[in-house]
């Protein structure tokens, strides 16, 4: 393949969908060139443990210990803790494997001892051999909640316990307005070596919106003066996985690339859409976002690398990347 890609890169992402592109970029770029700003709106306290599902999904993926079947949790996992908990009548709707459990127990201990979520994430990543930098979006707690016919639901209640079945009429990011963005982000945005900001094909409303809801974050991203490239999570007008399309319908949005472009309007310069959605390109362009059509389905590592490279080349085309 062509020349080495230089500079630093920032990726905003959620969990499983975001981790796919994070892996492509992590493996494509020189070690340490990628910083991933990860959604923590899904974080919650369960069984007395502080759990950061998106952060752990990205960390396990980049450390190559993720379960390749599910895309979350650890490979070669065992479930003795869950089985024992079940026999005792404990809560087992949120699956915590034995190896995964160590992450949550150790995170909870360190947070109780006064470490920040950022410090815990950095040390875990160093120990697991992750070269990229993973930043929780904020060290303060933010909780995504969904309004349904039965009232407001906590994110994991909706997403895991109820399998995203309830109809959603509104989404809220409790605490986001007071949660300072990760300070390392501002230092990175001021770094002249930063080439582009990439927004993963994560769920805009559940994974990216909590990040954008942090005070000053949107303006800081725009103010960096570098290309902002978002990738659509829809292929052929449908989600690859999860409730993105269902949620869009319930929120009264157009379930196509234009619906995604409208979310990123004023922030993204480019929206990458799949060949299957190429007919949407004029509608995206009409929203002042340049559409870029390529293959966006990431089944294999090669697919992840190819999309990562396509995104980096798009940034280079915007004339800001050292060649
Ligand atoms: P979650 O936090 O685990 O739900 O994961 P994300 O929010 O990061 O990603 C969920 C989104 O990723 C869904 O809307 C999927 O449609 C999208 N997604 C998953 N795999 C792919 C893929 O290979 N290509 C594209 N374009 N989108 C994907």
């Amino acid at each position: 393949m062509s020349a080495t890609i230089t500079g630093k890169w920032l990726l905003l992402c959620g969990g499983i969908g975001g981790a796919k592109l994070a892996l492509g970029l992590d493996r494509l770029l020189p070690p340490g060139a990628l910083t991933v700003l990860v959604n923590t709106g899904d974080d919650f306290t369960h069984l007395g443990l502080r759990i950061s599902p998106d952060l752990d999904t990205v960390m396990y993926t980049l450390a190559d210990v993720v379960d390749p079947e599910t895309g979350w949790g650890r490979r070669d996992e065992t479930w003795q803790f869950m089985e024992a908990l079940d026999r005792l009548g404990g809560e087992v709707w949120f699956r915590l494997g034995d190896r995964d459990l160590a992450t949550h127990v150790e995170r909870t201990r360190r947070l109780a001892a006064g470490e920040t979520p950022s410090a815990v994430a950095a040390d875990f990543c160093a120990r697991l051999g992750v070269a990229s930098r993973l930043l929780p979006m904020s060290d303060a707690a933010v909780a995504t909640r969904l309004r349904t016919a039965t009232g407001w639901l906590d994110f994991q209640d909706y997403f895991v316990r109820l399998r995203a079945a309830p109809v959603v009429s509104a989404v809220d990011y409790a605490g986001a307005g007071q949660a300072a963005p990760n300070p390392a982000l501002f230092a990175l945005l001021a770094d002249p070596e930063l080439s582009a900001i990439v927004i993963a094909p994560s769920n805009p409303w559940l994974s990216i919106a909590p990040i954008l809801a942090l005070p000053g974050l949107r303006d800081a991203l725009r103010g960096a003066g570098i290309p902002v490239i978002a990738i659509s999570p829809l292929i052929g007008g449908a989600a690859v996985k999860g409730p993105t399309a269902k949620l869009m319908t319930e929120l009264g949005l157009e379930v196509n690339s234009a619906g995604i472009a409208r979310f990123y309007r004023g922030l993204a310069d480019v929206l990458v859409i799949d060949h299957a959605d190429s007919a949407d390109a004029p509608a995206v362009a009409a929203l002042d976002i340049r559409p870029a059509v390529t293959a966006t389905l990431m089944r294999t590592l090669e697919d992840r690398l190819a999309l990562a490279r396509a995104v980096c080349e798009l940034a280079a085309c915007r004339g800001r990347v050292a060649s």
Side-chain angles (χ1 to χ4, degrees), residues 8 133 185-195 224 226:
K8 296 180 182 175
R133 191 161 58 141
L185 174 72
F186 295 111
L188 180 64
L189 291 173
D191 188 331
E193 281 187 45
L194 186 63
S195 302
I226 50 174

Side-chain angles (χ1 to χ4, degrees), residues 13-20 39 42 54 57 155 159 200-204 206-207 231-235 238-245 296-299 307:
C13 83
I16 297 172
K20 290 181 172 181
N39 170 44
D42 301 5
D54 287 356
T57 293
F155 181 81
F159 197 70
S202 291
N203 184 318
L206 300 183
S207 294
I231 296 93
S232 173
L234 301 180
I235 297 185
V240 176
K241 190 169 186 283
T244 307
T296 73
L297 183 60
M298 296 175 280
R299 283 210 191 91
L307 183 57

Side-chain angles (χ1 to χ4, degrees), residues 15 18 22 26 47 52 64 84 194 201 237 261 266 293 300 309:
D26 176 86
L47 308 177
S52 291
D64 199 18
L194 186 63
V293 180
T300 63
R309 184 167 283 281

Side-chain angles (χ1 to χ4, degrees), residues 85-141:
L85 187 65
D86 199 20
R87 277 200 77 177
L88 296 174
E91 278 190 56
V92 293
W93 58 269
F94 194 87
R95 309 285 296 155
L96 295 172
D98 300 329
R99 286 182 173 79
D100 184 33
L101 192 58
T103 305
H104 315 306
V105 169
E106 181 58 8
R107 172 185 293 116
T108 305
R109 184 190 71 76
R110 292 189 190 197
L111 294 177
E115 284 188 46
T116 61
S118 298
V120 176
D123 189 57
F124 282 3
C125 284
R127 288 171 187 275
L128 291 179
V130 174
S132 296
R133 191 161 58 141
L134 263 56
L135 303 177
M137 67 184 196
S138 174
D139 279 331

